[in-house]
Amino acid sequence: MSRLFSTGSILGAGGSSKMASNFRKVTHCIFDMDGLLLDTENLYTEVTQSIADPYGKVYTWEIKQAVMGLQREAAAAAIVEALGLPMTPEEYVIVSTEKINQLMGSCKMMPGAEKLIRHLHENNIPIAVATSSGADSVEVKTKNHQDIFNLFHHKVMGSSDAEVKEGKPAPDIFLVAASRFPDKPNPDQCLVFEDAPNGVTAGVAAGMQVVMVPDPHIEEDRRKQATVVLESLEHFKPEMFGLPAFK
């Protein structure tokens, strides 16, 4: 099975020098967190279904795909409406946050994430996190991975950051993340890593190239905006974007 895909083309795991020349060289990298760096998406599904169960509702893949990457309040409103839950979005946030805090402390890093982050940091490539999660949620999820997350120059947490006016799929979070690097790179100098279609849309809208590592269930037409689609971060080749290659 091919492991590396570019928009409209399929590449083998080794890539292609001809195709790679079509990618812009970048100097900075911005990472989503949930489902991209941390294996949290199944836990989110578990939490949501546990809230829906008493009302006989099913949190389907179609609903999940639509809300992936949204900020906390927007996701809560979409879930409550889609499932017809007898609660307000604010009540949903309270209940789900409590359950999330109980589960998320045990989440694991996604395959290839730690290796890539350490590689970029060791090669002095500026890196940041841009997550729709709030600061409280990020603290819980990253508590067992502080050695990794301390390598990021900064983290933008959309659900609790006043500068992020609109959540994904709006570009705000990635533009804010870029602006907080000391040298304030232009958007086209930044490479975004995402797993969710809403996040990919946001990165593209920000004028950035986007590496997508989607859930296998995400439909093909919801991957098309990405610059490159990978099965796993393990298959990312930094040199395709002018970054230092793995040794």
Side-chain angles (χ1 to χ4, degrees):
M1 178 184 293
S2 295
R3 290 173 176 157
L4 176 63
F5 308 84
S6 88
T7 312
S9 302
I10 298 179
L11 304 178
S16 155
S17 59
K18 180 179 180 182
M19 185 62 68
S21 68
N22 293 331
F23 301 141
R24 294 194 308 268
K25 180 178 179 179
V26 298
T27 54
H28 298 65
C29 295
I30 304 174
F31 291 81
D32 176 48
M33 186 181 73
D34 289 296
L36 187 281
L37 296 178
L38 292 177
D39 190 4
T40 57
E41 288 301 338
N42 288 336
L43 297 177
Y44 271 117
T45 299
E46 183 179 335
V47 165
T48 306
Q49 189 56 56
S50 72
I51 297 172
D53 278 340
Y55 308 106
K57 306 293 185 177
V58 178
Y59 184 47
T60 65
W61 171 251
E62 287 71 26
I63 299 172
K64 180 180 177 67
Q65 184 173 227
V67 303
M68 287 175 70
L70 297 182
Q71 290 187 13
R72 178 168 53 194
E73 288 74 15
I79 289 169
V80 167
E81 180 179 0
L83 294 178
L85 299 178
M87 61 181 70
T88 66
E90 292 75 18
E91 290 170 335
Y92 181 90
V93 167
I94 292 171
V95 174
S96 63
T97 298
E98 181 179 352
K99 290 177 176 288
I100 286 167
N101 288 344
Q102 292 171 356
L103 281 177
M104 293 295 181
S106 62
C107 66
K108 307 296 184 185
M109 297 291 294
M110 293 291 282
E114 179 175 349
K115 178 183 176 182
L116 177 56
I117 293 165
R118 289 191 182 281
H119 170 75
L120 294 173
H121 182 264
E122 288 166 3
N123 285 276
N124 299 312
I125 302 300
I127 53 177
V129 169
T131 174
S132 295
S133 294
D136 53 345
S137 176
V138 171
E139 182 178 358
V140 171
K141 296 169 191 171
T142 63
K143 70 177 183 178
N144 293 327
H145 307 288
Q146 285 298 301
D147 56 330
I148 304 300
F149 282 87
N150 285 339
L151 300 179
F152 289 96
H153 179 268
H154 58 276
K155 305 176 188 69
V156 181
M157 294 160 279
S159 290
S160 55
D161 193 308
E163 276 194 65
V164 181
K165 304 300 183 184
E166 297 289 337
K168 303 172 187 177
D172 301 34
I173 193 167
F174 292 121
L175 295 173
V176 169
S179 74
R180 292 182 183 171
F181 287 115
D183 54 347
K184 301 187 183 302
N186 292 326
D188 64 4
Q189 294 175 280
C190 299
L191 182 63
V192 167
F193 292 81
E194 265 285 354
D195 69 305
N198 286 321
V200 173
T201 299
V204 171
M208 303 175 184
Q209 296 175 102
V210 182
V211 174
M212 186 184 196
V213 186
D215 183 289
H217 296 96
I218 289 179
E219 294 137 5
E220 193 65 32
D221 65 350
R222 303 207 71 187
R223 307 178 183 201
K224 290 180 179 177
Q225 283 188 295
T227 310
V228 168
V229 178
L230 303 177
E231 288 183 1
S232 163
L233 285 175
E234 294 175 302
H235 305 309
F236 178 65
K237 296 191 176 300
E239 62 272 24
M240 295 180 71
F241 293 90
L243 298 168
F246 288 114
K247 295 180 181 178

